Amino acid sequence: MEIVSINVGLPKTIMYQGKELVTGIYKYPVSSSLRVSRTQLDGDGQADLTLHGGADKALCVYPKEHYAHWEQVLAQKLEAGTFGENLTVRGLLEDQVCIGDIYAIDDVIVQVSQPRQPCHKLAKRLDWADAVLQVQETGYTGYYLRVLTEGVISKNAEVKLIARDEAGVTVAYANQIKYHEKANIEAAQQIAAIQALSVSWKQSFLKRLAELGA
């Protein structure tokens, strides 16, 4: 388990189909070590703080293994950070990582908080209208980390598992229930009960359960 690239970028204004759009999805690899606080990496920023960033989404992670698939689909080479992730990683796939798992990255301690839920800005970043749906369909979403212990992350850092969450709910499984098995009450209850789950995802599943009469 390792970090392939550390990526940061501040919000900027772009033109898309004749309209201005402010977005922080453009992240670029850096060679230096960076300090990470409870809410973000130094030099990084988000445009819409109601949906991105904050304690539950301090770091966005995306597996390097998925890049080959998207490069084939889009017929182009993609640089690390293309999916707006802060950490491009290897050996930490969605079906291996559980919500609530705790990892050490150098002296930084982090915890998996939720799957990454792509928004329309990814579609604009890739100039591909179907991007969000395709990410959800494949399950190649990546995920978010909250920072339990602040510190400095280096590009060559190893990622070590410290503790596996007792619920054992993988990011891949959470995605499956979120997007494909929407009437699965038992699974929704299981996911909503995870103590480490982000506030936004917990609220989303509780709302679904209420709508299902559970």
Side-chain angles (χ1 to χ4, degrees), residues 4-174:
V4 177
S5 179
I6 302 174
N7 319 295
V8 297
L10 295 173
K12 65 179 183 178
T13 301
I14 65 170
M15 293 297 297
Y16 186 79
Q17 296 182 350
K19 296 181 180 180
E20 287 190 351
L21 174 70
V22 180
T23 177
I25 199 169
Y26 288 84
K27 310 295 184 188
Y28 301 99
V30 295
S31 57
S32 59
S33 299
L34 291 177
R35 180 168 181 79
V36 60
S37 70
R38 293 279 181 175
T39 56
Q40 64 185 33
L41 275 168
D42 280 357
D44 194 47
Q46 298 80 35
D48 185 352
L49 295 176
T50 63
L51 297 175
H52 306 288
D56 280 344
K57 304 175 186 176
L59 295 169
C60 183
V61 179
Y62 202 74
K64 175 66 175 177
E65 289 90 339
H66 299 330
Y67 269 75
H69 171 78
W70 300 121
E71 287 176 345
Q72 184 175 15
V73 170
L74 297 169
Q76 60 177 291
K77 184 71 175 175
L78 301 175
E79 183 180 34
T82 294
F83 291 85
E85 77 271 19
N86 299 119
L87 303 178
T88 312
V89 299
R90 183 179 288 112
L92 290 156
L93 294 167
E94 291 88 350
D95 61 357
Q96 300 167 324
V97 172
C98 294
I99 296 169
D101 283 357
I102 298 175
Y103 292 88
I105 308 173
D106 287 340
D107 59 344
V108 177
I109 308 300
V110 297
Q111 183 179 45
V112 180
S113 59
Q114 68 163 79
R116 190 267 187 90
Q117 191 167 357
C119 73
H120 67 97
K121 292 180 180 178
L122 176 62
K124 294 174 174 61
R125 168 73 174 85
L126 297 173
D127 195 22
W128 183 30
D130 208 27
V132 172
L133 178 60
Q134 288 301 313
V135 167
Q136 293 175 358
E137 287 295 314
T138 58
Y140 296 166
T141 60
Y143 43 91
Y144 283 105
L145 305 175
R146 65 170 57 91
V147 176
L148 303 180
T149 302
E150 299 178 345
V152 176
I153 292 178
S154 64
K155 180 181 177 182
N156 299 320
E158 289 187 10
V159 183
K160 298 179 180 179
L161 177 66
I162 294 179
R164 180 74 76 184
D165 190 81
E166 61 181 13
V169 174
T170 65
V171 171
Y173 183 73

Side-chain angles (χ1 to χ4, degrees), residues 177-178 181-185 188-189 192 201-214:
I177 302 306
K178 176 77 169 179
E181 296 184 36
K182 298 182 179 182
N184 190 328
I185 292 176
Q189 290 173 329
W201 268 57
K202 187 179 293 287
Q203 290 175 340
S204 175
F205 275 104
L206 290 176
K207 179 182 178 182
R208 177 181 295 182
L209 286 166
E211 291 172 347
L212 291 171

